[in-house]
């Protein structure tokens, strides 16, 4: 038989043949990482682990190499593993199953359903990669439309645009969770994706089952990795929430992505990086974190069709100016909302410090009238702050400064505008009308 007849048959047989999965064993377990001998694996590849003695099974991701050893980050608890644990390389990268049937559900970073109904959702599902490139700059739509979140202080003075990315900065205990729940209930976004990273288990149930009504839950999908979960799982939760938002954006929807919190994602990345052997830099964060953060945040925003409006909470303790997570996030995002512990102590909720907050896109999406009203209200608030001490000690003389006199006269009305209970939703039109009345 001639060579030209043999080669096509050989190629056909090779094409049909499936490579046998690569298998290996654990060499060592150090901290939160595994070192194993598995030939042929690649960075980002998913491996399956199974211990024959304990029956324990879990997944792990290849995150590096040390000589001929692969370094794996397990997605789950290490209990039950031993040196007899078998490792099988799948040849696949980490991915996420996504679909419309997940709306109203609560899932883990591994795709398991955590709510009462353990059955998978009905309807078709698609597989999205965990690590994806953000839209190209010139493939993004220009942000021109506002997005209402039902909070007067934000809609009126810090207006968000569809596709904007904002940071929510504040200390623990200043009402971030309550503010996020209010946004989920009252936003005019089509779909809401919530990423709860490192949260207390108690708060998860309270947020989703107590603070959200049935209508809000129906258009919401939540990804949950509580504080007791391994670092790899907490870090993965941020990526899974982003992937879910990307899927709904690709369907042409306007998505509101709420991630609580970016700081706990950063701490999980630090834990993994230091365990691999990366050198600690600012506040102990490894170099890989400062490259992972912009890659994650840039995936939100507008695309050719649909948009992801994202709010990332950032925990600030002590001097926020020296916190590398807060500093990096502030430099990448399109604005910041600062929550004040002093306002929270005065029972002023939402505890938004308007004068220290800024929306970089408000000039593009708000009407000229609203911009003028917001500018005037900020001016009066700033002047009232300047003379606060004089008023307290009784040294301010009325009539000496017309702007200060007006600031004092309108202070109570402005305070009433900024205070808003959870049971007091306010649409964009209502907010604008309220601003007119305050400054009439």
């Amino acid at each position: 038989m001639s060579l030209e007849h043999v080669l096509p048959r050989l190629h056909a047989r090779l094409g049909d043949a499936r490579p046998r999965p690569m298998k290996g064993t654990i060499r060592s377990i150090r901290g939160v990482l595994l070192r194993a001998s598995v030939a042929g694996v690649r960075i980002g590849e998913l491996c399956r682990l199974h211990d024959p003695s304990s029956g324990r099974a879990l997944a792990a991701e290849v995150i590096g190499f040390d000589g001929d050893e692969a370094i794996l980050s397990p997605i789950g608890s290490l209990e039950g593993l031993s040196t007899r644990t078998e490792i099988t390389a799948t040849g696949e990268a980490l991915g996420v199953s996504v679909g419309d049937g997940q709306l109203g559900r609560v899932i883990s970073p591994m795709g398991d359903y955590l709510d009462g109904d353990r059955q998978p959702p009905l309807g078709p599902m698609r597989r999205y990669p965990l690590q994806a490139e953000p839209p190209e700059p010139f493939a993004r739509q220009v942000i021109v439309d506002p997005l209402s979140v039902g909070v007067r202080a934000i809609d009126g003075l810090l207006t968000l645009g569809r596709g904007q990315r904002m940071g929510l900065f504040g200390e623990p205990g200043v009402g971030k969770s309550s503010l996020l729940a209010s946004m989920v209930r009252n936003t005019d976004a089509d779909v809401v994706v919530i990423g709860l990273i490192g949260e207390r288990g108690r708060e998860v149930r309270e947020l989703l089952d107590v603070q959200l009504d049935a209508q809000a839950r129906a258009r919401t999908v939540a990804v949950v990795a509580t504080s007791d979960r391994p670092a790899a799982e907490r870090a993965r939760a941020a990526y899974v929430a982003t992937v879910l938002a990307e899927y709904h954006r690709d369907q042409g929807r306007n998505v509101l992505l709420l991630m609580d919190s970016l700081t706990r994602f950063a701490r999980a990345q630090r834990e993994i990086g230091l365990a691999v052997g990366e050198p600690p830099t600012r506040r102990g964060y490894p170099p890989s974190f400062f490259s992972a953060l912009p890659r994650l945040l840039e995936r939100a925003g507008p695309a050719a069709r649909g948009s992801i409006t994202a709010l990332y909470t950032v925990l600030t303790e002590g001097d926020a100016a020296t916190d590398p997570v807060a500093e990096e996030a502030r430099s990448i995002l399109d604005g910041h909302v600062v929550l004040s512990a002093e306002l929270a102590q005065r029972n002023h909720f939402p505890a938004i410090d308007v004068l220290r907050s800024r929306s970089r896109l408000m000039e593009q999406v708000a009407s000229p009238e609203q911009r003028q009203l917001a500018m005037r209200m900020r001016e009066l608030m700033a002047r009232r702050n300047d003379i606060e001490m004089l008023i307290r000690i009784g040294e301010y003389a009325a009539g000496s400064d017309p702007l200060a006199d007006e600031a004092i006269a309108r202070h109570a009305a402005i305070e009433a505008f900024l205070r808003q209970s959870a049971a007091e939703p306010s649409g964009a039109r209502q907010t604008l009308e309220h601003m007119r009345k305050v400054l009439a």
Side-chain angles (χ1 to χ4, degrees), residues 336-351:
H336 51 276
V337 177
V338 177
L339 299 181
S340 165
E342 182 183 351
L343 290 176
Q345 290 166 5
R346 288 163 38 195
N347 203 32
H348 182 296
F349 291 106

Side-chain angles (χ1 to χ4, degrees), residues 84-161:
R84 297 182 57 196
T85 299
E86 299 172 350
I87 302 176
T88 305
T90 65
E92 301 176 354
L94 288 169
V96 183
S97 295
V98 293
D100 290 352
Q102 292 172 323
L103 292 175
R105 303 297 302 273
V106 182
I107 65 176
S108 75
M110 294 306 297
D112 300 321
Y113 293 92
L114 304 177
D115 46 12
D117 185 5
R118 300 285 176 168
Q119 297 299 318
L122 300 175
M125 301 289 286
R126 297 174 59 183
R127 194 76 176 171
Y128 266 47
L130 193 67
Q131 301 288 348
E133 293 295 323
E136 294 292 335
F138 286 94
R140 294 182 184 267
Q141 304 173 60
V142 177
I143 299 175
V144 294
D145 297 319
L147 177 78
S148 174
V149 294
V151 179
R152 287 194 295 264
I154 295 177
D155 288 347
L157 303 173
L158 305 164
T159 312
L160 297 177

Side-chain angles (χ1 to χ4, degrees), residues 176-390:
K176 288 190 299 296
S177 298
S178 299
L179 181 57
L180 293 179
S182 179
M183 291 180 181
V184 175
R185 288 194 305 270
N186 302 316
T187 182
D188 57 7
D190 302 321
V191 171
V192 179
V193 178
I194 304 176
L196 299 177
I197 304 165
E199 281 289 339
R200 306 174 187 88
R202 171 187 61 81
E203 291 185 338
V204 172
R205 185 76 184 271
E206 288 179 359
L207 172 64
L208 297 175
D209 286 350
V210 178
Q211 299 190 50
L212 298 186
D213 54 29
Q215 184 178 0
R217 278 296 301 271
R219 61 174 178 174
T220 300
V221 55
V223 182
V224 175
T226 50
S227 58
D228 60 302
R229 304 307 301 166
E233 195 169 333
R234 281 178 275 132
R236 178 181 164 91
Y239 292 106
V240 172
T242 303
V243 170
L244 293 173
E246 288 172 330
Y247 162 76
H248 290 286
R249 179 202 62 195
D250 293 346
Q251 312 310 307
R253 298 167 183 147
N254 293 309
V255 183
L256 178 61
L257 170 63
L258 304 175
M259 194 172 294
D260 187 17
S261 71
L262 198 63
T263 302
R264 295 190 181 107
F265 163 77
R267 291 171 181 169
Q269 290 286 100
R270 177 173 62 183
E271 189 175 337
I272 296 170
L274 295 179
V276 173
E278 289 188 67
T281 55
R282 297 167 56 195
R283 288 275 185 101
Y285 287 97
S288 61
F289 163 70
F290 295 101
S291 61
L293 186 63
R295 287 202 306 270
L296 174 68
L297 301 183
E298 280 295 323
R299 290 169 65 175
R305 58 193 297 257
S307 65
I308 301 175
T309 307
L311 282 95
Y312 304 91
T313 67
V314 180
L315 299 175
T316 56
E317 300 181 68
D319 186 4
T322 62
D323 183 353
V325 179
E327 184 180 348
E328 289 293 314
R330 195 184 293 260
S331 67
I332 297 170
L333 299 174
D334 307 317
H336 51 276
V337 177
V338 177
L339 299 181
S340 165
E342 182 183 351
L343 290 176
Q345 290 166 5
R346 288 163 38 195
N347 203 32
H348 182 296
F349 291 106
I352 298 174
D353 190 333
V354 173
L355 296 180
R356 293 171 57 201
S357 305
R358 177 181 173 83
S359 170
R360 296 180 183 176
L361 296 179
M362 182 173 177
E363 295 292 322
Q364 296 177 209
V365 300
S367 67
E369 180 193 9
Q370 182 181 341
R371 294 200 300 269
Q372 289 295 326
L373 292 172
M375 188 185 308
R376 184 62 176 170
M377 193 174 290
R378 278 176 169 272
E379 188 178 23
L380 294 174
M381 293 170 65
R383 189 69 186 113
R384 178 64 167 69
N385 269 13
D386 292 342
I387 60 174
E388 176 75 23
M389 184 57 67
L390 294 176

Side-chain angles (χ1 to χ4, degrees), residues 18-89:
R18 296 182 178 179
R20 296 180 62 186
M22 297 293 182
K23 293 194 174 184
T25 55
I26 291 178
R27 291 281 184 86
S28 65
I29 301 177
R30 297 179 183 176
V32 297
L33 299 180
L34 308 173
R35 293 175 181 265
S37 59
V38 191
V41 292
R42 305 182 303 275
I43 295 288
E45 186 170 347
L46 183 66
C47 295
R48 301 290 182 187
L49 281 64
H50 177 262
D51 191 273
S53 56
S54 66
R56 182 87 167 89
L58 74 159
E61 179 188 5
V62 180
I63 61 173
F65 296 97
D66 185 4
D68 61 347
E69 292 182 342
I71 303 174
L72 290 85
S73 177
I75 307 173
S77 172
L78 294 174
E79 293 182 6
L81 300 185
S82 67
T83 53
R84 297 182 57 196
T85 299
E86 299 172 350
I87 302 176
T88 305

